[in-house]
Structure formats: structure tokens, C-alpha cells
């Protein structure tokens, strides 16, 4: 038998880690070409990557399905929004609480063992039960998924929480892609108004920046309808493709601004 291997040039945005290699090995050649052969492939790759990781973990243990594992990770990513170290620490009691939030019941013993080795999490110290996210690549996309779920489900008053850690570039692109793909710009813009009226200025900035990422029509500016953001922190405000109009940002931190 002859085996044909398709070689691809790995893009700069791809972290060089074993988990990434495993995800790449599971992809079809057409998927590789689509993700690595064009701009914006990092969003599609991240979505496929987290799907592969959760499915692998579900196969290993067989206690939780892949969708449940993903939801638990999303919930844990929300907990990090208020952490001083950004990636953690996350206590074991918080991991159990995340499980209860997702399934509505206490984790059984076997599930508890799984929760101690969730993908993307590592120990803060060798003798500690606390966990932290390995890096912001996994965490940022999970935070984007969580924001999307929070807005769509509206089961929690997220607009009134006091977050301190914003989405980074990948998270903004993931969220912006999901919003644009389902044409939900107006719904998310209304949610920003709730965040502005409440306490969650970080979430307001996250959504506002992500809306710009998902707007791909260079000829038409994205209209924020007179939105005023105050007291927020935006890691990247990217105006290099789409331009905002009727948007005011004051008394805030903008770490990176990209102009056309």
C-alpha cells in the first residue's frame, strides 16, 4: 500500500504544542488546505481543535460526552474572568461547581477523577489541587464560546458581573465569526447596552470589539447606534478591515489599536 501525505506550511499563529499536532493529524486534507491556506483559518482551526480535544477526552473516560466537557471548560473560562492571574487559579471546588452548573447535579466519583485532568488545565504547583489554564490560546477561544452562550441563553445576569480579564485577538475573532455566521449583530449590540447599564464593562468591550471583527464589508462601516463605552478594557480594537461609526470610547484602556 502506498500512503500519500500532504505537507502544509504551519502558519505563524499556530502554537507548537503536542495537542495541536494531534488535532492536525485528525484533519482531512481538504480541512488542512482550508484552514492553513487562507487568512482567518485560525478561527476554524481553533473550533476544530477544541472539538477534537473534547472528543478524545470523552473516549478515554467514557463518563462524560464531548459536549458536556466543552460546556464545563466554558464555565471554567468564565470563572477566570475575575482572576488576578488571568489563567487561574481554579480550585477543585470551582471545578465541581462548574460540573453542577452544566449538568444540574453533583459529580459522581468517576466524573470527579475526570474533572481533575480536564484538557487544557494544569496544576498551579506540584503539591496543589488548584488548576490553571495552560495558556491563553485554549482559554481565549473558550471565553468567546462562553460569551456567545451567555448572550444566547440569558440564563444568568452576566451583564451585572464585574469581570477584569478581556478577550484577546483570537477570542474576538472566534466570537465575531459566530455572531456574523448567524447574523446576530443586533442581538449582541442590544446585550452590550445591558452591560453598559450594569457592571460588566469588560463584556461590553469584548462584544463591541468582536462585532467589528465579524463585519467583513469594507465599504460599509459598522454602525454602533450611538454606543458609549466607558471604563472598559479592550485588548485589540481592529479597524483594519471594518470601520466603526457612532461609537464612543472614553476613560478606558485600549491595549492595541489597528488602523486601515
Amino acid at each position: 500500500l502506498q500512503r500519500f501525505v500532504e505537507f502544509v506550511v504551519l502558519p505563524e499563529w499556530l502554537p507548537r504544542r503536542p495537542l495541536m499536532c494531534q488535532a492536525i493529524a485528525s484533519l482531512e486534507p481538504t480541512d488542512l488546505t482550508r484552514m492553513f491556506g487562507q487568512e482567518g483559518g485560525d478561527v476554524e482551526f481553533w473550533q476544530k481543535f477544541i472539538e477534537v480535544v473534547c472528543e478524545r477526552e470523552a473516549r478515554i473516560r467514557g463518563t462524560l460526552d464531548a459536549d458536556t466537557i466543552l460546556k464545563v471548560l466554558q464555565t471554567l473560562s468564565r470563572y477566570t474572568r475575575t482572576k488576578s492571574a488571568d489563567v487561574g487559579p481554579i480550585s477543585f471546588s470551582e471545578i465541581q461547581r462548574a460540573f453542577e452548573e452544566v449538568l444540574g447535579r453533583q459529580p459522581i466519583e468517576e466524573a470527579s477523577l475526570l474533572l481533575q485532568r480536564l484538557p487544557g488545565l494544569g496544576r498551579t504547583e506540584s503539591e496543589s489541587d488548584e488548576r490553571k489554564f495552560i495558556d491563553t490560546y485554549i482559554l481565549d477561544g473558550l471565553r468567546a464560546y462562553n460569551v456567545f452562550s451567555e448572550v444566547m441563553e440569558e440564563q444568568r445576569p452576566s451583564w451585572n458581573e464585574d469581570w477584569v480579564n478581556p478577550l484577546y485577538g483570537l477570542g474576538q475573532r472566534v466570537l465575531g465569526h459566530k455572531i456574523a455566521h448567524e447574523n446576530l449583530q443586533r442581538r449582541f449590540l442590544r446585550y452590550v447596552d445591558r452591560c453598559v447599564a450594569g457592571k460588566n464593562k469588560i463584556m461590553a468591550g469584548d462584544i463591541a470589539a468582536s462585532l467589528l471583527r465579524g463585519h467583513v464589508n469594507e465599504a460599509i462601516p459598522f454602525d454602533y447606534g450611538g454606543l458609549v463605552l466607558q471604563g472598559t478594557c479592550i485588548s485589540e480594537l481592529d479597524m483594519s478591515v471594518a470601520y466603526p461609526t457612532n461609537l464612543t470610547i472614553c476613560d478606558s484602556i485600549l491595549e492595541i489599536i489597528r488602523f486601515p
Side-chain angles (χ1 to χ4, degrees):
L1 294 175
Q2 288 184 321
R3 301 189 65 183
F4 296 90
V5 180
E6 179 169 329
F7 292 93
V8 296
V9 177
L10 297 181
E12 289 298 320
W13 48 257
L14 182 69
R16 271 57 169 173
R17 291 182 175 80
L19 274 176
M20 307 300 162
C21 295
Q22 183 183 41
I24 292 171
S26 70
L27 298 175
E28 296 295 328
T30 53
D31 292 330
L32 289 172
T33 302
R34 186 181 69 253
M35 293 177 192
F36 295 157
Q38 64 182 20
E39 188 176 352
D42 59 339
V43 171
E44 286 192 56
F45 176 77
W46 189 92
Q47 292 175 326
K48 187 65 178 179
F49 162 74
I50 200 66
E51 176 186 320
V52 168
V53 169
C54 291
E55 287 177 351
R56 183 205 64 174
E57 202 62 37
R59 285 195 305 271
I60 291 173
R61 291 293 176 174
T63 306
L64 302 175
D65 59 40
D67 187 55
T68 298
I69 293 172
L70 177 58
K71 287 180 180 178
V72 170
L73 288 171
Q74 286 179 222
T75 303
L76 292 175
S77 77
R78 189 184 78 235
Y79 294 170
T80 65
R81 292 292 206 150
T82 60
K83 303 290 185 178
S84 59
D86 195 16
V87 294
I90 301 168
S91 67
F92 184 64
S93 62
E94 286 178 311
I95 295 176
Q96 289 181 308
R97 176 155 57 94
F99 185 97
E100 292 173 25
E101 277 193 45
V102 172
L103 289 187
R105 58 177 174 81
Q106 298 238 340
I108 58 177
E109 182 178 351
E110 189 175 358
S112 296
L113 293 174
L114 171 61
L115 295 176
Q116 293 183 63
R117 58 177 301 278
L118 280 167
L121 295 179
R123 290 182 182 273
T124 55
E125 297 176 0
S126 58
E127 302 300 322
S128 174
D129 283 336
E130 292 184 328
R131 299 292 191 273
K132 65 179 180 180
F133 279 90
I134 297 171
D135 56 37
T136 56
Y137 179 81
I138 296 174
L139 176 59
D140 205 25
L142 289 170
R143 284 174 171 172
Y145 270 33
N146 173 248
V147 170
F148 189 83
S149 297
E150 297 283 296
V151 175
M152 296 302 294
E153 297 170 5
E154 294 195 31
Q155 295 180 351
R156 303 173 53 261
S158 302
W159 61 86
N160 215 30
E161 295 179 352
D162 193 10
W163 293 359
V164 295
N165 298 313
L167 286 180
Y168 299 107
L170 173 66
Q172 291 178 2
R173 291 192 295 276
V174 170
L175 180 58
H177 174 80
K178 288 179 71 66
I179 294 171
H181 181 69
E182 300 190 31
N183 198 28
L184 295 167
Q185 291 88 341
R186 293 301 118 188
R187 178 168 180 169
F188 275 76
L189 197 53
R190 288 194 297 271
Y191 201 92
V192 174
D193 290 333
R194 300 175 76 175
C195 293
V196 169
K199 295 180 181 178
N200 206 337
K201 314 304 182 186
I202 296 296
M203 192 177 191
D206 285 345
I207 297 174
S210 299
L211 285 167
L212 205 57
R213 297 275 197 171
H215 188 68
V216 294
N217 191 335
E218 299 179 39
I220 303 175
F222 185 83
D223 189 353
Y224 284 87
L227 174 66
V228 178
L229 294 177
Q230 186 172 12
T232 189
C233 175
I234 297 176
S235 65
E236 295 185 28
L237 185 64
D238 192 342
M239 300 182 288
S240 62
V241 175
Y243 200 76
T245 187
N246 292 321
L247 171 67
T248 300
I249 304 175
C250 58
D251 299 326
S252 298
I253 296 172
L254 286 82
E255 297 178 358
I256 297 173
I257 305 176
R258 301 191 192 279
F259 292 102

